[in-house]
């Protein structure tokens, strides 16, 4: 199989509380990339079980993420939407990458340190090796680009390290089997725009996250219009007027976050939002932001509800996507096995 020149892969975990950060940092960008790339979007259920999951909730959350992709505008016929566990190549390639990646590389991963916390001895082995599974997700499709939030930057760098080491370790065999000089690409992360790291609405120094115990910290994609408006009204602010320059904005975490959210929803830049709101009070920005958020998120929320009322249809979309993803994955696994020297 020849190396694709413009294939996008990205995934979202079905771990509940899908939020505005997931939407602006990832899902919204999935939609625009469809115009220029062949896109594969995955509900990464194997990643989700690196921490304990209730089986029923896992299934519901898997449908919710798939529905969010579709409701936001991903076309599952022209592109691929599927759930990771249904394509066994992810786990197979992850094992191979566990043997390529070095302990030292994984020991440096900050997400493991944050998620395992003080109780590292009790964290699952899967949580530790999460980044090799992520490398496998991407490289199984030899994806050239991965749209993600800023928190995934380090994992993307590790993916490139794994790709380079595999290409180097098996270089001779890769050339002998006529795959050129490199089998896996140097995948490019796409971490761009004003919303690569949306912060908590209650604390501008913390990332907006699914697991934050405070529901007021995030806008969920399932929140109705009143809830969205209430959460923005209650978002942490300070008593000063909004800054007028980008330089001043950098030192004002809460203002920076709300201006970034506004810019991403309005598809403009923070500079432009400052031209409109710089020097004004938070009490002017917040109602305008609430209106904009409701305008942009309500259609997605309504469409997600409609899709979730017909879970059989969502399951059929996932099955169809899995079947098409599997065809690509099996080809890669076969070629990788040949490169490594596994007899078939
Ligand atoms: N706050 C964020 N701002 C911008 N992008 C974000 N992403 C996550 N949080 C933000 C991006 O969303 C995509 C899917 O993320 P994930 O499902 O892999 O989950 P996650 O990063 O574990 O999500 P959370 O909310 O951060 O969960 P917890 O609470 O477990 O820490 C990714 O592209 C991610 O970058």
């Amino acid at each position: 199989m020849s190396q694709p020149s413009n294939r996008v892969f990205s995934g979202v975990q079905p771990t509940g509380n899908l939020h505005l950060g997931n939407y602006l940092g990832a899902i919204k960008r999935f939609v625009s990339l469809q115009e220029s790339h062949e896109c594969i979007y995955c509900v990464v259920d194997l990643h989700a079980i690196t921490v304990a999951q209730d089986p029923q909730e896992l299934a519901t959350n898997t449908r919710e993420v798939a529905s969010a992709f579709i409701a936001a505008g991903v076309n599952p016929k022209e592109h691929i939407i599927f759930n990771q566990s249904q394509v066994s190549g992810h786990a197979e390639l992850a094992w191979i990458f566990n043997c390529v990646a070095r302990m030292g590389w994984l020991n440096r991963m900050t997400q493991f340190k944050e998620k395992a916390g003080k109780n590292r001895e009790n964290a699952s082995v899967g949580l530790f090796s999460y980044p090799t599974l992520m490398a496998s997700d991407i490289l199984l499709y030899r994806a050239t680009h991965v749209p993600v939030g800023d928190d995934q930057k380090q994992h993307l760098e590790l993916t490139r390290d794994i790709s380079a080491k595999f290409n180097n370790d098996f270089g001779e065999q890769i050339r002998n089997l006529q795959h050129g000089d490199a089998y896996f690409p140097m995948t490019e992360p796409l971490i761009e725009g004003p919303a690569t790291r949306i912060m908590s609405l209650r604390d501008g120094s913390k990332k907006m996250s699914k697991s934050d115990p405070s529901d007021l910290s995030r806008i969920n994609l399932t929140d109705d219009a009143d809830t969205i408006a209430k959460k923005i009204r209650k978002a942490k602010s300070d008593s000063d007027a909004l800054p007028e320059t980008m330089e001043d904005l950098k030192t004002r975490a809460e203002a920076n976050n709300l201006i970034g959210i506004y810019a991403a929803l309005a598809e403009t830049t923070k500079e432009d939002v400052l031209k409109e709101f710089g020097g004004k009070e938070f009490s002017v920005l917040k109602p305008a932001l609430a209106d904009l958020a409701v305008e942009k998120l309500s259609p997605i929320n309504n469409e997600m509800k409609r899709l979730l009322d017909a879970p059989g249809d969502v399951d059929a979309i996932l099955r169809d996507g899995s079947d098409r993803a599997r065809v690509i994955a099996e080809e890669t696994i076969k070629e990788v096995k040949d490169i490594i020297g596994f007899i078939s």
Side-chain angles (χ1 to χ4, degrees):
M1 182 178 53
S2 60
Q3 166 64 51
S5 58
N6 66 344
R7 185 178 283 158
V8 160
F9 178 94
S10 196
V12 174
Q13 296 189 73
T15 39
N17 296 335
L18 204 57
H19 54 73
L20 184 67
N22 301 131
Y23 174 64
L24 294 177
I27 301 170
K28 185 173 190 299
R29 300 171 59 235
F30 295 180
V31 180
S32 49
L33 285 162
Q34 295 179 107
E35 302 300 318
S36 48
H37 292 70
E38 171 195 352
C39 300
I40 304 175
Y41 297 128
C42 187
V43 188
V44 288
D45 47 9
L46 294 176
H47 281 281
I49 63 160
T50 53
V51 296
Q53 299 295 333
D54 172 84
Q56 251 117 50
E57 279 178 27
L58 181 64
T60 304
N61 292 336
T62 299
R63 293 188 185 109
E64 186 177 293
V65 174
S67 304
F69 290 173
I70 301 163
V74 175
N75 182 333
K77 287 204 173 75
E78 285 182 17
H79 300 272
I80 293 180
I81 294 178
F82 76 109
N83 56 323
Q84 189 187 22
S85 60
Q86 301 311 299
V87 178
S88 59
H90 290 259
E92 264 186 279
L93 191 59
W95 176 257
I96 292 166
F97 286 168
N98 277 339
C99 302
V100 173
R102 306 290 91 183
M103 286 293 288
W105 299 359
L106 288 180
N107 274 331
R108 284 194 286 277
M109 295 295 114
T110 53
Q111 184 170 294
F112 173 73
K113 289 177 195 160
E114 283 161 19
K115 292 208 167 168
K118 290 200 178 77
N119 204 1
R120 210 178 281 190
E121 291 297 307
N122 203 32
S124 72
V125 176
L127 190 65
F128 181 71
S129 63
Y130 183 112
T132 58
L133 178 58
M134 183 164 155
S136 132
D137 300 336
I138 296 164
L139 296 175
L140 188 58
Y141 303 96
R142 298 207 279 168
T144 52
H145 297 88
V146 180
V148 276
D150 179 64
D151 57 324
Q152 294 301 322
K153 194 170 173 197
Q154 196 182 32
H155 289 163
L156 261 298
E157 280 160 11
L158 186 106
T159 299
R160 290 162 65 92
D161 289 342
I162 289 177
S163 178
K165 189 168 187 312
F166 182 94
N167 290 337
N168 185 55
D169 289 354
F170 298 101
E172 198 181 324
Q173 189 72 343
I174 289 168
R175 282 185 290 279
N176 287 344
L177 292 173
Q178 316 288 322
H179 293 304
D181 287 333
Y183 183 72
F184 288 119
M186 279 292 130
T187 307
E188 294 287 339
L190 298 174
I191 305 174
E192 300 151 344
T196 56
R197 182 177 285 256
I198 299 294
M199 309 309 274
S200 156
L201 296 180
R202 305 301 295 160
D203 178 352
S205 68
K206 269 171 53 186
K207 189 174 80 106
M208 185 178 284
S209 122
K210 294 171 183 156
S211 56
D212 193 315
S214 165
D215 195 53
L216 284 176
S217 70
R218 66 182 159 260
I219 292 173
N220 301 303
L221 292 189
T222 48
D223 284 342
D224 61 24
D226 287 349
T227 311
I228 295 173
K230 183 183 87 182
K231 287 179 174 176
I232 292 175
R233 214 171 42 242
K234 286 182 176 276
K236 192 176 166 206
S237 51
D238 53 51
S239 51
D240 292 340
L242 291 160
E244 294 189 57
T245 65
M246 287 296 286
E247 210 44 42
D248 290 345
L249 188 63
K250 279 187 201 142
T251 62
R252 301 270 302 279
E254 279 79 23
N256 195 3
N257 194 34
L258 296 185
I259 296 281
I261 293 172
Y262 193 104
L265 287 170
E267 297 181 2
T268 180
T269 59
K270 287 186 189 181
E271 283 89 340
D272 274 349
V273 181
L274 281 188
K275 278 185 203 142
E276 193 176 341
F277 293 101
K280 297 189 177 149
E281 301 300 320
F282 274 92
S283 57
V284 177
L285 173 66
K286 281 182 174 180
L289 178 57
D291 286 350
L292 179 64
V294 168
E295 180 198 322
K296 299 287 178 179
L297 299 178
S298 289
I300 298 174
N301 179 305
N302 291 339
E303 182 60 5
M304 278 175 74
K305 276 202 196 106
R306 193 189 67 77
L307 289 160
L308 290 170
D309 279 344
D313 294 354
V314 177
D315 294 1
I317 289 171
L318 288 171
R319 255 194 318 274
D320 171 62
S322 299
D323 289 345
R324 288 186 287 135
R326 201 175 298 114
V327 172
I328 307 172
E330 281 175 356
E331 183 104 27
T332 305
I333 291 292
K334 186 187 170 307
E335 290 177 348
V336 167
K337 285 181 175 173
D338 286 345
I339 290 169
I340 293 177
F342 292 151
I343 294 173
S344 57

